[in-house]
Amino acid sequence: MLRIQVSEDGRPPLPALDIADTRFVIGSSSTARIRLPATAARAEHVVIDGATWRTADGSGALGDSHTFQIGNYRVHVAPAPAGSVPTPPQRTESLARELVRGLLGVDGAPSLTVERGALTGAKRSLPPPEASLVIGRGDDAQWIIDDPDLSKRHLEIRRSWDGVRAIDLDSKNGTRLDAAPLREAELRDGSLLELGGIALRYRDPAERHLGEPAVPLAEPTRTPAKPRGATGVFVVALVVAVLALAGIVVFAMR
């Protein structure tokens, strides 16, 4: 198992990822195991295969450890400590979004916007991991919304290195996520939370950015057009055949 740690110049390193795969890609492709922004990395910038690495410029052995400088990012690869557990895929996705946020600047943070009810139009950006935001009508909520159908502590939005999750805090009237009852679930860009008379829309600019196709989409397959006049010729031939058959039938009946 290998431990991968990514850091951007001038920023603290992100949490390490422990990967059990013997072969994986570091790059900007949507299928890369370690995904970096396309502004810095090729689709398959580095291919790790067992104890070796390969790039467009050469290859070599990982040895005890190896650090790749890819644009403004450093990717350190080393054996994982004994007893390490493979990192879940959602953390890999979340860290990819965190790298993109650095490119997007202040507009890159995930946010909640009130679309219906009290405070319509109000927006709250979520603080960096690890952080949480409690929504309710009580004084100890971090986002107080005056709605009689809300519990004092109704809903918690938890942003961690594994993504953003919504957790209903045993509220009296419950919470719905995209029209389904919510206990706890991960939020995706565009998710709609409904609690009391309030509707909150979750937006994640980094997720939208990463959702763009890595390569241009192939042109759709089109059925070749029939030559002009082909249909008309077929109809005329059919009419002639029918009239000829009718003539034969009339002649036989005489």
Side-chain angles (χ1 to χ4, degrees):
M1 185 182 302
L2 293 175
R3 172 161 290 184
I4 317 296
Q5 191 154 45
V6 181
S7 59
E8 185 179 1
D9 292 346
R11 294 175 178 268
L14 296 175
L17 302 171
D18 292 331
I19 298 178
D21 301 340
T22 57
R23 187 182 189 281
F24 59 90
V25 169
I26 302 170
S28 59
S29 167
S30 60
T31 59
R33 190 69 170 84
I34 305 298
R35 193 170 180 186
L36 301 176
T39 54
R42 295 185 291 269
E44 293 191 356
H45 205 99
V46 180
V47 176
I48 303 295
D49 194 351
T52 64
W53 58 266
R54 173 172 49 84
T55 69
D57 302 319
S59 60
L62 288 174
D64 292 336
S65 66
H66 195 91
T67 299
F68 301 94
Q69 184 74 40
I70 304 174
N72 294 329
Y73 304 94
R74 291 183 304 279
V75 182
H76 184 71
V77 182
S84 298
V85 177
T87 302
Q90 58 263 32
R91 173 162 293 193
T92 303
E93 296 173 7
S94 177
L95 294 188
R97 293 193 292 269
E98 293 303 322
L99 290 174
V100 170
R101 296 192 207 289
L103 298 176
L104 299 177
V106 294
D107 297 326
S111 64
L112 291 166
T113 301
V114 182
E115 289 194 347
R116 184 179 70 243
L119 300 181
T120 295
K123 178 180 177 180
R124 293 288 291 266
S125 295
L126 302 181
E130 303 275 341
S132 67
L133 174 69
V134 174
I135 302 170
R137 60 178 176 81
D139 292 338
D140 58 345
Q142 292 159 301
W143 192 2
I144 301 174
I145 301 179
D146 187 15
D147 185 301
D149 292 325
L150 292 187
S151 297
K152 292 182 179 180
R153 290 171 55 88
H154 194 108
L155 179 71
E156 179 183 0
I157 306 297
R158 186 177 299 166
R159 183 180 174 189
S160 71
W161 292 113
D162 291 329
V164 177
R165 301 187 68 81
I167 305 163
D168 184 84
L169 300 176
D170 295 324
S171 63
K172 180 179 179 180
N173 295 317
T175 304
R176 298 180 73 81
L177 173 61
D178 296 329
L182 169 75
R183 177 61 183 170
E184 177 176 351
E186 183 178 4
L187 295 179
R188 309 299 298 189
D189 179 59
S191 293
L192 184 67
L193 290 159
E194 296 174 283
L195 47 157
I198 307 299
L200 298 171
R201 182 73 67 179
Y202 174 75
R203 293 296 185 190
D204 188 344
E207 183 179 337
R208 289 200 301 276
H209 184 87
L210 285 172
E212 296 174 358
V215 295
L217 296 176
E219 285 293 325
T221 303
R222 293 183 173 88
T223 303
K226 295 181 180 179
R228 289 188 177 181
T231 302
V233 171
F234 175 77
V235 171
V236 171
L238 180 61
V239 171
V240 171
V242 171
L243 291 175
L245 180 60
I248 294 172
V249 172
V250 171
F251 179 81
M253 294 177 62
R254 288 181 179 178

